């Protein structure tokens, strides 16, 4: 997922050096009751915190049938589908949500008050898990930063400028405010994510989370929720996969619309691209490599 991978590495490096990420701290379980656990991320790398939360949720689900891990005091974790698909590959149904700093106007508003607040689901399947991974904004902020290396315009309906006016200028969008996905629907989902993360964890509420890019010297204090469900408590895993395959067959048999070659299941395009990249390598823009090297040479 190029917008959430190496393109973000220079910022992670800057935050680790400046104090916004504490690379040597170890996240701690501060409470556990049955299948529910609370994890203090201790300001560590978001990806490391998320990995620990997924491991714990998987263990709890296999023991109790369901595992829930609430995380506070974390940092940006990147693409959530990278974590939920691990649960799917463990034969579990996975869900993850993550609050972030305010970058999106609430429906009817013209100032940023909620985050892009991503969420992800993943389900066991053959040959690939079914993975849903999306921001609750009209576009992920990382997609705009990726476009910054290749263009200066964005489609209408994605963002407002700093004055709260609609814009198609990439530069103005980066300085401005994103719009929620599908208007009131994306806004409602963003609030739901905030309830499941910042509110439930007892951590920093999204509107108070510092910017990932603009405040490199301060931990973000973001919150996450990881949920794992063992389908074997309801259906044997093989039967679940069989029924999932039946569903996929019925959906992907749909004739493609004009401009499309095939109908795919959620996550299938990324899974096929991952197979290709593992064989052929990952293309990286020279500007990104230059930024990484500049940090390494500091």
């Amino acid at each position: 997922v190029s917008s959430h991978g190496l393109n973000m590495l220079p910022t992670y490096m800057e935050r680790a050096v400046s104090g916004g990420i504490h690379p040597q701290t170890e996240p701690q379980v501060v409470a556990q009751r049955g299948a529910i656990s609370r994890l203090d991320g201790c300001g560590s790398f978001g990806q490391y915190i998320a990995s620990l939360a997924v491991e714990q949720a998987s263990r709890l689900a296999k023991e109790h049938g369901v595992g829930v891990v609430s995380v506070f005091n974390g940092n940006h974790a990147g693409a959530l589908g990278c974590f939920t698909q691990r649960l799917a590959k463990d034969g579990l149904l996975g869900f993850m949500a993550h609050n972030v700093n305010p970058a999106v106007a609430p429906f009817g508003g013209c100032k940023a008050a909620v985050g892009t607040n991503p969420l992800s689901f993943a389900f066991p399947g053959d040959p690939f898990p079914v993975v849903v991974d999306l921001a609750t904004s009209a576009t992920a902020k990382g997609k705009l930063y990726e476009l910054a290396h290749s263009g200066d315009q964005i489609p209408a309906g994605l963002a407002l400028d700093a004055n709260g006016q609609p814009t198609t200028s990439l530069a103005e969008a980066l300085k401005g405010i994103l719009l929620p996905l599908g208007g009131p629907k994306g806004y409602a989902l963003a609030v739901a994510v905030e309830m499941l993360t910042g509110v439930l964890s007892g951590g920093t509420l999204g509107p108070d989370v510092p910017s990932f890019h603009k405040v490199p010297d301060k931990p973000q204090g973001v919150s996450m929720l990881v949920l794992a469900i063992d389908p074997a408590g309801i259906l044997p895993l093989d039967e679940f996969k069989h029924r999932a395959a039946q569903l996929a067959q019925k959906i992907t048999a749909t004739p493609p619309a004009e401009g499309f070659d095939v109908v795919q299941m959620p996550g299938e395009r990324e899974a096929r691209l991952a197979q290709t990249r593992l064989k052929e390598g990952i293309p990286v823009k020279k500007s990104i490599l230059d930024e990484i090297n500049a940090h390494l040479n500091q």
Side-chain angles (χ1 to χ4, degrees):
V1 182
S2 58
S3 60
H4 290 67
L6 283 173
N7 280 349
M8 302 289 277
L9 185 55
T11 306
Y12 289 124
M13 296 170 77
E14 180 182 6
R15 292 184 62 81
V17 170
S18 301
I21 294 174
H22 300 158
Q24 297 182 8
T25 60
E26 185 64 28
Q28 302 291 326
V29 175
V30 295
Q32 185 167 334
R33 180 181 178 187
I36 301 175
S37 179
R38 185 173 184 235
L39 181 67
D40 180 352
C42 297
S44 185
F45 273 101
Q47 288 84 351
Y48 180 54
I49 298 166
S51 294
L52 294 178
V54 164
E55 289 172 8
Q56 190 169 20
S58 178
R59 178 180 59 78
L60 290 170
K62 290 172 181 177
E63 181 179 348
H64 299 280
V66 63
V68 182
V69 180
S70 179
V71 178
F72 68 102
N73 198 15
N75 275 303
H76 187 272
L80 302 191
C82 295
F83 305 102
T84 55
Q85 70 175 320
R86 296 184 194 178
L87 294 170
K89 290 175 180 178
D90 278 348
L92 303 168
L93 283 59
F95 170 78
M96 185 175 180
H98 183 327
N99 74 348
V100 295
N101 56 285
V104 183
F107 181 68
C110 63
K111 295 291 182 183
V114 295
T116 56
N117 289 8
L119 56 87
S120 176
F121 297 87
F123 307 90
D126 289 318
F128 311 114
V130 175
V131 180
V132 177
D133 186 0
L134 54 91
T136 53
S137 52
T139 186
K141 198 69 178 282
K143 296 290 185 183
L144 296 187
Y145 284 107
E146 183 180 29
L147 288 172
H149 295 274
S150 57
D152 58 5
Q153 293 293 116
I154 60 172
L158 299 185
L160 307 175
D161 64 20
N163 296 316
Q165 297 300 311
T167 185
T168 57
S169 163
L170 177 60
E172 293 300 320
L174 287 172
K175 293 186 292 186
I177 308 146
L178 296 178
L179 289 169
L181 175 68
K185 297 179 181 180
Y187 167 52
L189 285 172
V191 172
V193 167
E194 189 62 51
M195 291 290 184
L196 289 169
T197 56
V199 174
L200 178 62
S201 73
T204 305
L205 298 176
D208 299 322
V209 170
S211 170
F212 174 71
H213 289 277
K214 297 176 183 177
V215 189
D217 60 342
K218 186 176 181 180
Q220 291 185 286
V222 302
S223 301
M224 311 173 198
L225 182 80
V226 178
L227 167 65
I229 300 172
D230 187 351
I234 303 170
L235 284 177
L237 179 59
D238 287 345
E239 185 175 351
F240 178 90
K241 286 185 173 182
H242 175 69
R243 292 177 60 80
Q246 286 182 316
L247 175 65
Q249 186 176 26
K250 292 176 185 295
I251 292 174
T252 58
T254 305
E258 184 176 351
F260 293 85
D261 297 324
V262 66
V263 174
Q264 299 185 92
M265 291 296 284
E268 183 176 349
R269 182 181 69 85
E270 290 82 359
R272 293 188 184 280
L273 181 60
Q275 288 185 329
T276 300
R277 294 282 168 84
L278 285 169
K279 293 178 182 177
E280 300 177 2
I282 301 172
V284 184
K285 294 183 176 67
K286 183 178 183 301
S287 57
I288 294 296
L289 292 177
D290 289 343
E291 285 187 64
I292 293 171
N293 286 325
H295 281 288
L296 290 174
N297 293 327
Q298 284 181 347

